[in-house]
């Protein structure tokens, strides 16, 4: 009886600490989840005289992948982004973040361009509006322009099947 | 030889300018002070144990520029913080606001002190009520004997 309270306290503390093991503190929940994507108006990479806005992309469920030629993890996920764009039936747009035109075009020529369009954000203002804090990040946005899911870090074979595709499907089924 | 030296010199000069960090030019001291205080309270999201004032990560520099821009637009510190919280969540603040999701964070330590204090108070009260001494009572017979013999030292 004497040791009951310390024992309970010990078990509670142990459970609390144990629940923290394996969690990556670098992965933050998006503050924008289930909220409208921020407004943007950005030039297209293929022709920077043309601009695209959030409204142009309404009416479809799509993935917005934040990438840069300077980002090594973007190269890691590129095969899976390509697979997603080619096989899932959903559009994948690229947000080319803090990159130079020359480097991004060379990167796409070298590794292939799976993106329906690439939106150019050289100063990084739109990325900040999206709460981006590192590349790669992948947003899933529904037909009404609401952010439904955010993946921080590279898309892999596992999270593509277990998280991205189900999230796209769920976003497409939003009333 | 001279050409080679010249090339080396060029390389040094130009590569140095590539890595130079542009200092921020402030309008006056007040602006500088406000900027420094504000950015010291904002967490860098790339290097999470640093504030953006101390960080030279690309995103931290962007956030510093945005903070300064908004200071110059006449926004208050609270408005600038709200702007960042909307995008990055409470995590961006080193001192999170008091609200439903953070009350435990703010009040938790006081709760722990309170529970500990109650525990100590209860223990002390229990011990004070306990008349049984930890030192055993001396034998009365032995005491009397000692008094008689006068060897009480």
């Amino acid at each position: 009886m004497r040791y009951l309270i310390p024992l309970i306290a010990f078990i509670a503390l142990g459970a609390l600490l144990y629940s923290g093991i394996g969690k990556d503190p670098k992965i933050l929940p998006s503050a924008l989840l289930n909220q409208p994507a921020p407004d943007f108006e950005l030039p297209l990479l293929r022709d920077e005289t043309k601009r695209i806005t959030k409204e142009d992309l309404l009416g479809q469920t799509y993935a917005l992948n934040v990438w840069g030629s300077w980002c090594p993890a973007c190269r890691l996920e590129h095969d899976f982004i390509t697979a997603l764009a080619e096989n899932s039936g959903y559009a994948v747009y690229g947000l080319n973040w803090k990159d130079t035109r020359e480097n991004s075009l060379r990167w796409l020529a070298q590794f292939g361009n799976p993106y329906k369009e690439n939106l150019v954000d050289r100063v990084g203002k739109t990325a900040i509006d999206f709460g981006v804090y590192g590349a790669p990040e992948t947003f899933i946005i529904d037909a009404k322009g609401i952010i439904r899911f955010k993946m921080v870090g590279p898309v892999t074979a596992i999270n593509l099947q277990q998280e991205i595709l189900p999230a796209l499907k769920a976003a497409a089924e939003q009333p | 030889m001279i050409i080679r030296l010249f090339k080396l010199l060029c390389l040094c000069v130009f590569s140095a300018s590539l890595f130079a960090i542009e200092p921020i030019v402030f309008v006056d001291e007040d602006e500088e002070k406000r900027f420094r205080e504000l950015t010291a309270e904002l967490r860098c999201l790339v290097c999470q144990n640093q504030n953006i004032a101390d960080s030279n990560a690309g995103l931290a520099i962007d956030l510093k520029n945005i903070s300064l821009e908004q200071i110059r637009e006449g926004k208050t510190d609270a408005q600038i913080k709200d702007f960042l919280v909307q995008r990055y969540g409470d995590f961006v603040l080193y001192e999170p606001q008091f609200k439903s999701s953070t009350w435990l964070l703010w009040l938790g330590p006081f709760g722990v002190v309170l529970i500990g204090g109650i525990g100590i108070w209860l223990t002390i009260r229990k011990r004070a009520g306990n008349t049984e001494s930890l030192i055993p009572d001396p034998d009365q017979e032995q005491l009397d004997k000692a008094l008689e013999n006068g060897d009480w030292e």
Side-chain angles (χ1 to χ4, degrees), chain A residues 16-23:
Chain A
L16 179 75
L17 296 178
Y18 184 79
S19 71
I21 293 176
K23 274 191 193 159

Side-chain angles (χ1 to χ4, degrees), chain A residues 25-26 28-29 31-32 97-98 123-125 127-133, chain B residues 45-48 58-59 62-63 66 69 83-89 91:
Chain A
K26 296 223 156 202
L28 303 174
L32 291 169
W97 185 38
K98 290 175 85 87
V123 282
K125 275 239 163 98
I128 287 176
D129 286 340
F130 267 91
V132 170
Y133 63 95
Chain B
L45 296 121
V46 184
C47 28
Q48 293 181 351
L59 184 70
D62 286 356
L63 292 180
I66 277 197
E69 216 171 85
F83 172 90
L84 291 169
V85 167
Q86 261 174 30
R87 285 156 181 75
Y88 290 102
F91 194 74

